[in-house]
Amino acid sequence: LFGYISSGAVIQNLDISGANVSGQYNVGGLVGYSEDSTISGIRVSGTIRGLDNIAGIIGRNKATISDSSSAGTILGNSKLGGIVGSNSGSIFNTFSTAEISGSSKLGAVVGQNSGGQISGSYWDTESSTASAGINAVLFPLVIGNCVYIAGADLLPRFKEDEDIILHLSMFYLGTAIMYSIPCLKCLLIS
C-alpha cells in the first residue's frame, strides 16, 4: 500500500488479505520503508516478492510496529522476514506463519536485525521455513509449535511442570545457527 512513510505517520487496524506485491528493494505487504512512524494492529496475508529487504509487513523498518501478524509467502534473495526484512526499529507483540524462501539472512520474524528492539514476537515452527526467527536474538524459547522471543529484561513465566525447549543461538558472519537443549521440566513458576 505504501512505498515510504515517515515523520510521525500512524497506520493502525488494517487487515490486508490476498496481497500480491512485487518489487526489488524494501518491499512489504503494507510498507516498503518505514521510519519515525507507528504501525499497529496490522494483519497481512499473501505473496510478497523482491530482492532484498522483503517482508510480510515492512521491508525496511526504522519505526515501531506492534500487535501485528503476517501469513503467506515471502520470496526474494536476502534479508527476508515474516514481519520485517531489515530492522533497526522496535517490534513488539507480533506473530508470523509466513513461508520464507531466499538465499541469505532469512528470519521467520526478522531477516536482519541491526540494533533494533524486539520482544513478545512469535512464529510457527511448523509453517515457517526459516531456520531462525531473528538474525540477532539471544534467547528464543520454543513452546509447542511457536517460538517466543524475549529480551533479557522480559522473560516469560511458565506454569510448574511445563515442558519447553531452550534454543541458544550462535552468530557467525550474520547467520544464525540454532542449537536445541530440551528441558525436562520448566523451573519457572508463575
Side-chain angles (χ1 to χ4, degrees):
L1 289 177
F2 304 96
Y4 174 79
I5 62 170
S6 69
S7 302
V10 175
I11 301 173
Q12 59 189 14
N13 305 323
L14 288 177
D15 189 347
I16 302 168
S17 61
N20 188 359
V21 182
S22 296
Q24 290 190 0
Y25 303 98
N26 303 328
V27 180
L30 177 69
V31 177
Y33 189 157
S34 177
E35 62 182 343
D36 300 324
S37 55
T38 303
I39 296 170
S40 66
I42 305 301
R43 290 187 300 174
V44 177
S45 64
T47 302
I48 315 299
R49 296 178 191 84
L51 294 176
D52 295 333
N53 298 334
I54 314 301
I57 299 180
I58 304 172
R60 186 171 179 189
N61 183 49
K62 292 184 175 183
T64 299
I65 180 169
S66 64
D67 306 315
S68 297
S69 64
S70 74
T73 305
I74 312 299
L75 305 167
N77 182 39
S78 179
K79 301 175 200 162
L80 313 178
I83 302 296
V84 171
S86 179
N87 182 59
S88 56
S90 299
I91 300 172
F92 305 107
N93 305 323
T94 63
F95 180 76
S96 178
T97 60
E99 293 183 32
I100 314 293
S101 181
S103 60
S104 67
K105 298 182 181 174
L106 314 178
V109 176
V110 172
Q112 176 176 317
N113 189 50
S114 302
Q117 180 182 3
I118 303 165
S119 69
S121 293
Y122 302 78
W123 74 93
D124 186 324
T125 59
E126 288 189 0
S127 67
S128 177
T129 53
S131 62
I134 296 175
N135 202 16
V137 162
L138 297 179
F139 300 106
L141 299 174
V142 176
I143 306 167
N145 293 335
C146 295
V147 177
Y148 181 82
I149 300 165
D153 60 340
L154 180 63
L155 293 176
R157 299 181 66 80
F158 301 94
K159 295 178 183 171
E160 188 174 2
D161 295 331
E162 186 172 355
D163 293 333
I164 64 169
I165 297 174
L166 175 63
H167 283 262
L168 300 177
S169 301
M170 294 178 57
F171 299 93
Y172 179 72
L173 297 177
T175 302
I177 302 170
M178 303 294 282
Y179 293 95
S180 298
I181 302 171
C183 299
L184 295 178
K185 296 292 178 186
C186 181
L187 300 177
L188 299 175
I189 301 172
S190 58

